Amino acid sequence: MTAPQPAWQRRAYNIEALRSLARAALPKPIFDFADGGAEKEYTLRRNEAAFDGIELLPRPLSGPADRDLSVSLFGKPLSLPILLGPTGLAGLFWPDGEGCLARAAGKAGTGFCLSHGSVVPLEKVAASGTSPRWMQVFIYKDRGFTRELAERAAKAGYDALVLTIDNQLLGNRERDIRNGFAIPPRFGATGIAGMALKAQWLWRMRREIPNITFGNYVRPNETADISTLAGRMGSLLDPAMSWRDVDELRRLWTGPLILKGILHPEEARQALDHGIDGLIVSNHGGRQLDGAPATIDVLPQVVAAVEGRVPILIDGGIRRGSDVVKALALGAKACLVGRPVLWALAVAGEAGVVHMLDIYRREIDRVMGLCGEARVDGIAKDLLFSRSSRPG
Ligand SMILES: Cc1cc2nc3c(=O)[nH]c(=O)nc-3n(C[C@H](O)[C@H](O)[C@H](O)COP(=O)(O)O)c2cc1C
């Protein structure tokens, strides 16, 4: 007999429902920290809305009995074409948030990318043993610190290094300003009043809150106080980053090196000349440059520029299995998800993230079945409806 499904799982029947449950569970400043975007949140909205403009053209008469969702990325198998993207301060959403998401990825047979800004240091997260595990870094004014993080990641067995290029100046996140949320977290009077209504989160996090910090930035014999570390991080990011820095990392890192934050097709093409192994088409989930296009809208141009020489991944607004199928049809090899991971963590920790991946898995499988697609590798542009080829 199978165990009855917990109530939260029944209520979390899709990703939007997970978001609603997370909203109910989290203090508003924390929910908004994850949920919000920059300025008017145009790009944030476009990321999701642009998928609605793309339609699927099914061929049910080639319907397979079973679907194979697996893909291989940089020589590693994934059980579905989704990885957990890097999100800072996951440990604010559930105790040992980063450990939870790493273990959940492993259980689901996929991988994760750890944020530079994890609460738990990268070495400790690596102990989950999940592979593939990728480490995300920035270019710092102190280039030695970028090097140090890369060297630590190599030593801890991370498979790939992800250089995020779209965060060298912090985006203007106005929800955080309105809520008085800052790094380090500070809650104004309304924030504290709101928190009182989130008793479960407060109780669960009572031992964690005083220790929330940026684990990778703590140095021996130095205070782990988050304000010291946040100050160092902010002042260290260097807007004057260039291809020379990419070359330097390329010399240092022998495994797959991936650029995250690519939108311009020309920059994608240039990356090939610098020995990059993969690209993530991303606008940081609309948290950085408001007014940037939806990632799914620029994907075809990036795919065309790269001509199949390296795998292209995408993130931003992927909330449905059908979004994943559309991205693959437009040439992505796999997708990453950001906010859904934090919503799932906030709802049920590790079990929440396993459940979230299961939602995507079931939705992708159903969409593939309805479309008559047997294998993820077989998904191509002919699965999409083109208005221009419609007669009359
Ligand atoms: C709360 C939060 C923190 C994030 N932190 C990082 C980070 O540390 N490094 C990074 O490269 N991207 C970071 N991102 C961006 C995600 O990796 C990803 O690009 C984005 O969330 C994808 O869009 P989605 O949230 O619509 O899935 C963060 C996103 C959120 C929501």
Side-chain angles (χ1 to χ4, degrees), residues 33-34 86-88 115-116 136 164 260 282 284-285 287 315-317 319 337-340 342:
F33 161 64
T87 49
S115 161
H116 78 102
Q136 177 262 315
T164 294
K260 174 172 182 283
S282 174
H284 218 100
R287 297 166 72 77
D315 72 17
R319 304 289 179 262
V337 288
R339 291 178 183 84
L342 300 176

Side-chain angles (χ1 to χ4, degrees), residues 2 27 40 44 59 136 213 216 233 238 329 374 378:
T2 51
K40 287 194 294 185
L44 170 62
R59 272 189 281 197
Q136 177 262 315
T213 191
N216 295 319
M233 256 169 55
D238 190 354

Side-chain angles (χ1 to χ4, degrees), residues 50-51 54 262-266 268 281 293-308 312-314 326-332 381 384:
F51 281 103
I54 302 168
I262 288 284
L263 292 175
H264 203 297
E266 179 55 23
V281 173
T295 49
I296 195 69
D297 282 343
V298 299
L299 177 67
Q301 290 180 31
V302 172
V303 167
V306 169
E307 295 176 326
I312 295 172
L313 311 178
I314 182 171
K326 290 170 187 179
L328 299 189
L330 288 171
K381 223 171 177 167
L384 301 180

Side-chain angles (χ1 to χ4, degrees), residues 112-181:
F112 70 96
C113 178
L114 187 68
S115 161
H116 78 102
S118 56
V119 172
V120 177
L122 64 97
E123 289 82 1
K124 231 171 141 187
V125 182
S128 67
T130 296
S131 176
R133 54 176 175 272
W134 300 352
M135 181 66 210
Q136 177 262 315
V137 296
F138 293 127
I139 298 294
Y140 297 98
K141 282 185 188 137
D142 172 4
R143 302 300 198 258
F145 189 57
T146 305
R147 242 187 342 263
E148 188 183 309
L149 277 182
E151 281 162 0
R152 284 172 57 189
K155 209 164 153 206
Y158 282 77
D159 304 281
L161 196 68
V162 174
L163 173 63
T164 294
I165 61 169
D166 59 7
N167 192 79
Q168 296 298 103
L169 295 168
L170 201 62
N172 185 18
R173 304 188 192 146
E174 295 182 354
R175 286 203 220 183
D176 290 348
I177 298 170
R178 275 200 301 280
N179 290 328
F181 180 84

Side-chain angles (χ1 to χ4, degrees), residues 11-26:
R11 291 205 299 272
Y13 56 90
N14 67 15
I15 301 300
E16 183 56 34
L18 262 181
R19 175 174 180 262
S20 301
L21 291 171
R23 185 198 283 272
L26 291 169

